[in-house]
Amino acid sequence: IKVTLFHGRGGSIGRGGGPTYLAIQSQPPGSVMGTLRSTEQGEMVQAKFGLPHTAVRQLEIYTTAVLLATLKPPERPREEKWRNLMDEISKISCQSYRSTVYENPEFLAYFHEATPQAELGFLNIGSRPTRRKSSTGIGHLRAIPWVFAWTQTRFVLPAWLGVGAGLKGVCEKGHTQDLKAMYKEWPFFQSTIDLIEMVLGKADVPIAKHYDEVLVSNESRRELGAALRRELLTTEKFVLVVSGHERLSENNRSLRRLIESRLPYLNPMNMLQVEILKRLRSDDDNHKLRDALLITINGIAAGMR
């Protein structure tokens, strides 16, 4: 039986997305054998295939990556120890993520206050309601508004939360050199770390802090925000330790230039969005404010793509 790998791609990094070429190249050796089946998230179809020359470029990337993955597949993990370390990282990071998102009683209220998630529902910018059920629990929130809301505040939390804890936990057990070797010699691990590094390069601690200072009312929730910002810095520290880079996106200077060139446009839009959210929350029927919020949301989404 000839089996074809079905790669269900996400849009954002927090949903399993990322550069197509990198994703295909990091699949297990032998899994891509001349063919590949793939899906693109709805919100990415227009971005990747909406214009003829962009669509041709995307198809060239797919074809090149599939050919290379077939003719020159990546190396297998050199040591069984590496798989065990990945299991350990996964276990620690999952525990860290769930203790914040599901087990901290303040988290849901903090999420509603610190991000524009509550306002996304009445802006009619998606094809579905923001929740699967009427429940307010975090588990029934759809994946797109969950990621989208954190991207708006430049915190990008779903993509990195838990990663720093996992890497730190394994490093503190004396496996730092093993992780560095894994980064250099295991394409899957390298692409994962590179994607996290890319996300951290887009994140902005002072901007996220500004959202908290203006919009979060409760002192304990503000402390939760401060703890999460510290966690982001810990993640950055250990990702750089593993990659051996002195600064984020050191091996992707074009991305770094792209991010830096957008900051003069992005930062004022974030400042405007915070002020609009503050006013809208005391005057939620103000249609001019809603229109203004939609403009900032579209602008930040375009800048963060």
Side-chain angles (χ1 to χ4, degrees):
I1 297 170
K2 185 172 182 290
V3 177
T4 299
L5 176 70
F6 182 17
H7 183 42
R9 292 183 47 67
S12 60
I13 308 297
R15 299 188 66 206
T20 304
Y21 181 86
L22 199 62
I24 295 172
Q25 285 291 288
S26 64
Q27 296 300 323
S31 60
V32 179
M33 295 297 291
T35 61
L36 173 79
R37 182 181 171 193
S38 178
T39 56
E40 289 285 1
Q41 294 291 334
E43 71 271 22
M44 299 304 293
V45 172
Q46 172 64 24
K48 290 189 171 187
F49 301 98
L51 296 170
H53 67 274
T54 311
V56 169
R57 174 78 177 138
Q58 283 298 318
L59 293 171
E60 284 176 347
I61 290 170
Y62 266 105
T63 306
T64 306
V66 170
L67 280 169
L68 278 173
T70 302
L71 298 172
K72 193 183 174 188
E75 294 293 319
R76 295 182 183 278
R78 188 163 48 85
E79 301 178 29
E80 187 60 33
K81 182 181 184 182
W82 289 2
R83 291 183 185 276
N84 294 336
L85 283 174
M86 281 300 291
D87 285 340
E88 183 72 11
I89 293 168
S90 174
K91 183 177 158 191
I92 296 168
S93 71
C94 180
Q95 203 171 9
S96 170
Y97 185 98
R98 294 192 70 86
S99 70
T100 299
V101 174
Y102 290 98
E103 292 161 22
N104 188 319
E106 294 284 6
F107 182 81
L108 190 58
Y110 169 73
F111 173 51
H112 283 308
E113 287 188 341
T115 76
Q117 189 275 322
E119 288 75 15
L120 292 176
F122 60 63
L123 290 174
N124 296 322
I125 54 175
S127 60
R128 300 185 180 113
T130 56
R131 296 187 167 277
R132 294 179 185 276
K133 297 180 182 178
S134 58
S135 160
T136 56
I138 205 85
H140 294 144
L141 186 71
R142 285 187 182 274
I144 292 176
W146 165 244
V147 173
F148 195 77
W150 288 113
T151 304
Q152 288 287 304
T153 67
R154 311 268 292 280
F155 210 15
V156 214
L157 179 135
W160 57 261
L161 182 62
V163 174
L167 295 177
K168 180 184 178 185
V170 170
C171 284
E172 287 178 345
K173 290 180 180 177
H175 297 297
T176 305
Q177 293 308 314
D178 290 312
L179 294 185
K180 288 182 174 182
M182 286 161 67
Y183 179 79
K184 285 180 181 165
E185 298 174 40
W186 189 9
F188 162 73
F189 187 70
Q190 185 182 68
S191 70
T192 304
I193 294 295
D194 284 349
L195 288 176
I196 299 299
E197 198 171 310
M198 182 174 86
V199 167
L200 294 172
K202 289 184 176 187
D204 192 301
V205 167
I207 293 286
K209 184 180 179 185
H210 183 62
Y211 276 79
D212 281 14
E213 287 172 343
V214 176
L215 300 173
V216 177
S217 58
N218 179 294
E219 187 58 40
S220 62
R221 284 176 214 147
R222 285 190 183 185
E223 179 47 45
L224 171 59
L228 288 169
R229 290 193 296 277
R230 289 193 295 272
E231 187 64 30
L232 173 62
L233 295 175
T234 298
T235 305
E236 183 178 319
K237 175 186 170 184
F238 281 94
V239 162
L240 291 176
V241 164
V242 171
S243 68
H245 299 153
E246 286 187 21
R247 57 188 301 208
L248 295 169
S249 304
E250 187 182 286
N251 63 336
N252 194 342
R253 288 188 183 153
S254 59
L255 173 72
R256 181 153 206 94
R257 278 197 304 273
L258 191 63
I259 292 169
E260 288 171 356
S261 69
R262 292 179 181 190
L263 294 182
Y265 309 96
L266 266 173
N267 291 348
M269 278 192 285
N270 280 113
M271 294 298 170
L272 278 169
Q273 187 177 86
V274 171
E275 183 61 28
I276 292 164
L277 283 169
K278 181 184 173 185
R279 295 185 190 187
L280 193 57
R281 286 174 183 179
S282 59
D283 183 13
D284 63 3
D285 279 333
N286 189 320
H287 290 284
K288 286 186 178 178
L289 284 175
R290 286 191 184 190
D291 290 345
L293 180 63
L294 182 56
I295 291 168
T296 65
I297 285 173
N298 283 336
I300 294 166
M304 288 291 282
R305 177 173 291 163

